[in-house]
């Protein structure tokens, strides 16, 4: 196998190490491909299909984040079928999910001249907001099923496995086993899922309450669990004096 891939991306000659994905090869050439589920620090799964590209001679479109091209491939990242596919994905997302806190997607909707109204009248995903712990809320009406939170909760970071996909088809969502409240799961409240969520579906409780107009003193009360049965230590005397 050759050590290098010699590619042509959007008419530009690019040479990258063997095994490089189309996304990374395009980035090396300064070509921007939009992403949604892809994240530098989690395993790529090609779920959202927003990064699709067209490779001459290949069937269908390829998810750039997971596809490794053959040597001497000619790839188009802005062909008509690529643009149409991305536009349709964006339209379907915007017509069914609340993207009000996903500014990157808002910019892409504009850039691709997406018309979510084409799917008006279809079903919208609007599950009730879940507020079951002192640390963060889950508003899955804003969830685009990118899977980043599931991955950091599992092998990509925390090995906690508190959340996973649940349901099927349009009604697929992220949930806990048997829909248990988060404090009854294996969640250790590390906050990594909140950190990687691109749409505001997961949000720190303090941020959420501040947005609701709750006073900081009141927030302090609801986000602190009183310590029970804590033994006194040397530092306590210092603090008391
Ligand atoms: S909750 Fe956020 S991070 Fe998790 S799948 Fe939904 S959008 Fe992605």
């Amino acid at each position: 196998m050759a050590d290098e891939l010699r590619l042509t991306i959007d008419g530009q000659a690019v040479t990258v190490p063997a095994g490089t994905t189309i996304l990374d090869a395009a980035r090396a050439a300064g070509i921007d491909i939009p992403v949604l589920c892809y994240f530098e620090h989690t395993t790529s799964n090609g779920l959202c299909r927003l990064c699709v590209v067209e490779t001459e001679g290949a069937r269908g479109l390829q998810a750039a984040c997971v596809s490794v091209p053959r040597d001497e491939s000619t790839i188009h990242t802005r062909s008509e079928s690529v643009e149409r596919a991305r536009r349709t994905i964006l339209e379907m997302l915007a017509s069914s999910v609340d993207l009000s806190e996903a500014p990157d997607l808002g910019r892409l909707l504009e850039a691709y001249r997406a018309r979510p109204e084409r799917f008006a009248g279809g079903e919208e995903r609007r599950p009730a907001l879940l507020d079951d712990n002192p640390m963060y809320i889950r508003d899955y009406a804003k969830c685009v099923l990118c899977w980043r939170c599931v991955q950091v909760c599992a092998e990509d970071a925390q090995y906690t496995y508190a959340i996973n996909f649940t349901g099927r088809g349009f009604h697929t969502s992220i949930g806990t086993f048997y829909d248990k409240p988060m404090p009854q799961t294996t969640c250790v409240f590390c906050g990594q899922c909140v950190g990687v969520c691109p749409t505001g579906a997961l949000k720190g409780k303090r941020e959420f309450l501040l947005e609701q107009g709750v006073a900081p003193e009141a927030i302090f009360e609801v986000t602190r669990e009183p310590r029970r049965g804590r033994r006194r230590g040397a530092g306590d005397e210092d603090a008391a004096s």
Side-chain angles (χ1 to χ4, degrees):
M1 197 176 78
D3 292 340
E4 292 184 328
L5 296 173
R6 287 155 299 163
L7 310 172
T8 304
I9 306 180
D10 293 346
Q12 191 174 327
V14 188
T15 301
V16 290
T20 303
T21 62
I22 296 175
L23 179 67
D24 287 338
R27 287 184 170 180
I31 296 168
D32 183 45
I33 295 177
V35 293
L36 174 53
C37 69
Y38 173 85
F39 185 55
E40 281 80 359
H41 306 293
T42 56
T43 306
S44 301
N45 288 298
L47 293 175
C48 73
R49 316 301 291 183
L50 205 59
C51 68
V52 288
V53 297
E54 187 170 7
T55 303
E56 288 184 12
R59 288 178 60 192
L61 303 176
Q62 300 79 48
C65 68
V66 290
S67 300
V68 175
R70 290 187 179 156
D71 191 24
E72 301 196 355
S73 291
T74 299
I75 297 161
H76 304 281
T77 74
R78 302 297 300 248
S79 69
E80 190 186 337
S81 55
V82 164
E83 299 248 313
R84 193 182 323 123
R86 290 181 189 157
R87 186 181 308 118
T88 305
I89 290 165
L90 289 164
E91 288 170 343
M92 289 196 291
L93 273 176
S95 64
S96 56
V97 180
D98 174 3
L99 300 181
S100 58
E101 295 189 45
D104 288 348
L105 281 173
R107 280 188 282 276
L108 284 174
L109 280 156
E110 269 185 44
Y112 282 82
R113 303 182 315 283
R115 294 186 297 118
E117 60 275 15
R118 288 202 307 128
F119 296 93
E123 201 173 343
E124 294 183 353
R125 277 214 301 263
R126 292 291 184 267
L129 185 144
L130 297 170
D131 182 5
D132 59 9
N133 69 80
M135 304 305 286
Y136 62 95
I137 58 98
R138 294 177 287 150
D139 184 1
Y140 290 129
K142 296 188 174 79
C143 175
V144 291
L145 297 172
C146 69
W147 214 17
R148 294 182 190 181
C149 57
V150 176
Q151 289 177 278
V152 292
C153 191
E155 286 93 346
D156 276 349
Q158 196 65 27
Y159 284 83
T160 301
Y161 303 96
I163 47 176
N164 208 328
F165 275 133
T166 179
R168 284 175 176 269
F170 186 81
H171 299 288
T172 303
S173 65
I174 307 295
T176 59
F177 289 115
Y178 297 108
D179 290 330
K180 294 279 189 197
M182 203 52 82
Q184 292 178 30
T185 72
T186 52
C187 178
V188 294
F189 301 100
C190 65
Q192 301 207 59
C193 58
V194 178
V196 298
C197 180
T199 63
L202 305 178
K203 186 177 288 183
K205 190 72 169 276
R206 293 182 192 195
E207 181 184 354
F208 171 71
L209 292 173
L210 280 170
E211 287 173 358
Q212 306 299 310
V214 179
E217 307 75 44
I219 293 174
F220 188 77
E221 291 300 317
V222 293
T223 56
R224 283 289 164 103
E225 277 278 311
R227 292 188 181 185
R228 297 186 193 90
R230 177 170 170 261
R231 281 181 296 175
R232 285 171 66 81
D236 292 340
E237 280 82 42
D238 292 345
S241 60

